Amino acid sequence: MSLKVYNSYTRQKEVFESITPGHVGMYVCGPTVSGESHLGHARPYITFDVLYRYLTHLGNKVRYVRNITDAGHFEEEGREAEDKISKKAILEKLEPMELVTKYTNLYHWAMKQFNTVDPSIEPTATGHIVEQINMIEKIISEGYAYEVNGSVYFDVKKYAANYDYGKLSGRVIDDLLETTRELDGQEEKRDRADFALWKHAAPEHIMRWKSPWGEGFPGWHIECSAMATKYLGAAFDIHGGGMDLQFPHHESEIAQSTICNHQNPVRYWMHNNMITINGRKMGKSYNNVIKLTELFSGDHPLLSQAFHPMTVRFFILQSHYRSTLDFSNDALAASEKAFKRLWEAYEILQKLVPADSNDDVIDKELDAKIVKWVAEFKEFMDDDISTPKILANMFEMAPIINSMKDGLIPSDSISAATLLQMKDQFKIYLEDIMGLQSVSVSNNEAFKAVMQLLVDIRKEAKTKKDFATSDKIRNQLAEAGILLKDEKGGEMSWSVE
RNA sequence: GGUCCUUUGGCCGAGUGGCUAGGCAAAGCUCUGCAAAAGCUUCUACAGCGGUUCGAAUCCGCUAGGGACCUCCA
């Protein structure tokens, strides 16, 4: 069985085949570093991180390109076009580059918290002005763009006459041409549907570059086309991003690249759905965002506590990437508990040792069920990255693992081969592919030694039925945030809350 | 207004026409010095109406609610 992904371009699941076997080129729209990342931003980065990990796991050499948009787009308020980054810079009395650096660092920090793998290339828009200008010149020479007063616009009407503009986003060109909205530069455009490739910079505009059309700055869509072409070629395998980017961003990208490179740039378009809050998209314009720093610290009116980045990652993986995911404090709290239980079972599993079992003692029904559940990990992943189903299967096995540890299920009731397979596949899917990791902060050797000492003392006390001492140890550790649990058979385990 | 999506048990959330996903919460029980975990059991839902079908949460239609995009947006 092979990997199938839902291609937004064709609106169906398709078998994934890369252009060059064994190599995959993947481009994902990265952040605009004019502000802090919020929960909604986390979704594509985690979703495509899992895809990247899986493609790699399948033996592909993947070049994963994720850009940083550090040149401002337009923020259209009324009729005044402003550069997002330079505007904020004035407010915060920072240099644009200082602002960009600050939020880029913060973004990298958050990605680290989520345990996402670094992209192979992380190009910045400002670092590729030359490429963008070259691309615009090419589009002009092809006859699909025109200059007006130092700005350059893409001729959508002409493009639509020869190519299917709107296919990705399901747009009808005639509708677009009738849009009545007043936008900046509208009077310069030949058609309302046209979009800017290059904008003339007003005198007060801080971010500006020299170009054949005077000083200005690039339009938003051109950066992705230019950088994707440069690092992945005229045609590449996967382009990912949030659903809200389908139009106009990705649609425009297709148009630009198609004219420039004379071919359809992307094989598989993949879009993650939105994270909602009270059923509404989380977004700046709705004023309902929860920043990642707030999430990790718990410092937000909607949050009753801080949430660990792994809880958030798990929360996101529990729903399918193409469904909306509704955020709430309760939903996240539920994920926290669930993840803890699953992870503890996983750690127990890794410590289980296969018993010398023979056909007589093996519970064949149980063994077969486990074999099936484990085999389905790949099946589910191949089915358009169905991480919720993989997790469901893992939860099916959690009680079995715990029961084996407690001796409620004899350890020789599943075959050694099955247990090894289980251990192996859990590790691959949970850690390597879904990118989950321990939330434990207790990997310090000295600390572990101290804990072992306390455990030993408590064991002695319990043997002597000195419950005052044993309770004191447990209670005071609890106050310090360390949970000590008695296991069956007199052993003790602990975890840092 | 146009285009499209969605509506699943107390909450979150999978669901490929038939064979009860899963998680959290809740209740009961078991284990246990106590506690916490853990295990077992219970809770069987698909917005409404109509249709297709031997059979529909799943397909079709209508109605109602919610949402997304059309403008910066993950």
Side-chain angles (χ1 to χ4, degrees), chain A residues 16 18-25 59-63 237:
Chain A
F16 177 78
S18 56
I19 296 166
T20 309
H23 291 258
V24 176
N60 294 291
K61 189 161 176 5
V62 186
R63 180 176 290 170
D237 301 301

Side-chain angles (χ1 to χ4, degrees), chain A residues 174-210:
Chain A
D174 292 339
D175 294 345
L176 291 171
L177 296 173
E178 282 168 16
T179 309
T180 54
R181 196 173 283 267
E182 289 296 326
L183 296 174
D184 176 69
Q186 202 71 276
E187 63 286 344
E188 290 181 351
K189 297 180 187 176
R190 289 183 190 164
D191 260 306
R192 294 183 180 281
D194 292 354
F195 56 87
L197 295 171
W198 187 265
K199 287 291 286 182
H200 168 72
E204 67 275 14
H205 208 280
I206 302 169
M207 294 193 114
R208 55 202 299 141
W209 291 266
K210 280 190 178 136

Side-chain angles (χ1 to χ4, degrees), chain A residues 370-437:
Chain A
I370 291 172
V371 168
K372 174 173 170 282
W373 282 326
V374 169
E376 280 173 341
F377 290 175
K378 176 167 166 49
E379 208 176 293
F380 293 154
M381 193 54 101
D382 280 342
D383 184 17
D384 197 28
I385 323 297
S386 296
T387 53
K389 291 185 183 175
I390 295 175
L391 290 170
N393 273 21
M394 288 180 170
F395 274 109
E396 292 278 11
M397 287 180 269
I400 295 164
I401 293 165
N402 287 324
S403 294
M404 284 179 71
K405 183 195 109 194
D406 291 340
L408 296 168
I409 293 177
S411 59
D412 57 2
S413 53
I414 63 171
S415 72
T418 299
L419 181 64
L420 288 175
Q421 180 73 354
M422 199 177 171
K423 290 169 83 156
D424 204 39
Q425 296 299 303
F426 256 78
K427 162 145 200 320
I428 290 172
Y429 280 85
L430 202 56
E431 291 202 65
D432 301 348
I433 294 172
M434 289 197 279
L436 292 163
Q437 61 182 187

Side-chain angles (χ1 to χ4, degrees), chain A residues 16-245:
Chain A
F16 177 78
E17 281 169 356
S18 56
I19 296 166
T20 309
H23 291 258
V24 176
M26 174 161 112
Y27 188 96
V28 173
C29 287
T32 300
V33 285
S34 61
E36 257 193 81
S37 296
H38 59 72
L39 177 60
H41 296 124
R43 196 171 198 192
Y45 308 139
I46 290 172
T47 297
F48 292 107
D49 181 58
V50 171
L51 179 61
Y52 175 45
R53 287 163 175 268
Y54 189 56
L55 288 166
T56 305
H57 165 79
L58 292 176
N60 294 291
K61 189 161 176 5
V62 186
R63 180 176 290 170
Y64 175 20
V65 180
R66 190 179 62 200
N67 65 295
I68 298 253
T69 299
D70 56 352
H73 313 151
F74 302 118
E75 197 166 39
E76 259 113 12
E77 289 174 316
R79 314 195 89 222
E80 221 139 13
E82 289 170 292
D83 182 298
K84 227 194 235 176
I85 287 169
S86 63
K87 181 192 176 197
K88 195 85 180 283
I90 291 161
L91 288 177
E92 296 195 3
K93 303 228 188 303
L94 289 169
E95 277 299 313
M97 202 61 208
E98 189 178 356
L99 186 76
V100 160
T101 304
K102 175 183 165 186
Y103 289 122
T104 300
N105 288 343
L106 204 51
Y107 163 72
H108 283 148
W109 169 81
M111 290 303 106
K112 212 86 193 157
Q113 300 300 302
F114 283 131
N115 192 32
T116 59
V117 179
D118 290 336
S120 330
I121 299 175
E122 194 171 56
T124 60
T126 55
H128 295 76
I129 299 293
V130 172
E131 286 83 351
Q132 296 180 65
I133 289 174
N134 289 345
M135 198 163 194
I136 295 167
E137 286 183 309
K138 185 91 188 294
I139 297 170
I140 293 174
S141 71
E142 294 280 346
Y144 282 88
Y146 54 92
E147 187 211 331
V148 184
N149 303 330
S151 293
V152 182
Y153 297 98
F154 189 91
D155 190 336
V156 171
K157 201 176 192 174
K158 179 169 181 184
Y159 178 84
N162 300 309
Y163 302 89
D164 49 3
Y165 185 79
K167 179 172 178 186
L168 176 69
S169 55
R171 234 31 66 140
V172 180
I173 184 69
D174 292 339
D175 294 345
L176 291 171
L177 296 173
E178 282 168 16
T179 309
T180 54
R181 196 173 283 267
E182 289 296 326
L183 296 174
D184 176 69
Q186 202 71 276
E187 63 286 344
E188 290 181 351
K189 297 180 187 176
R190 289 183 190 164
D191 260 306
R192 294 183 180 281
D194 292 354
F195 56 87
L197 295 171
W198 187 265
K199 287 291 286 182
H200 168 72
E204 67 275 14
H205 208 280
I206 302 169
M207 294 193 114
R208 55 202 299 141
W209 291 266
K210 280 190 178 136
S211 79
W213 318 283
E215 287 200 4
F217 51 95
W220 175 34
H221 316 303
I222 196 72
E223 63 172 87
C224 289
S225 286
M227 297 189 288
T229 302
K230 177 165 183 174
Y231 298 113
L232 298 172
F236 56 97
D237 301 301
I238 298 171
H239 190 125
M243 260 181 188
D244 50 355
L245 295 181

Side-chain angles (χ1 to χ4, degrees), chain A residues 275 277 280-289:
Chain A
I275 286 184
I277 181 160
R280 241 214 144 103
K281 174 183 170 182
M282 185 179 285
K284 235 176 302 176
S285 36
Y286 295 119
N287 237 318
N288 62 357
V289 303

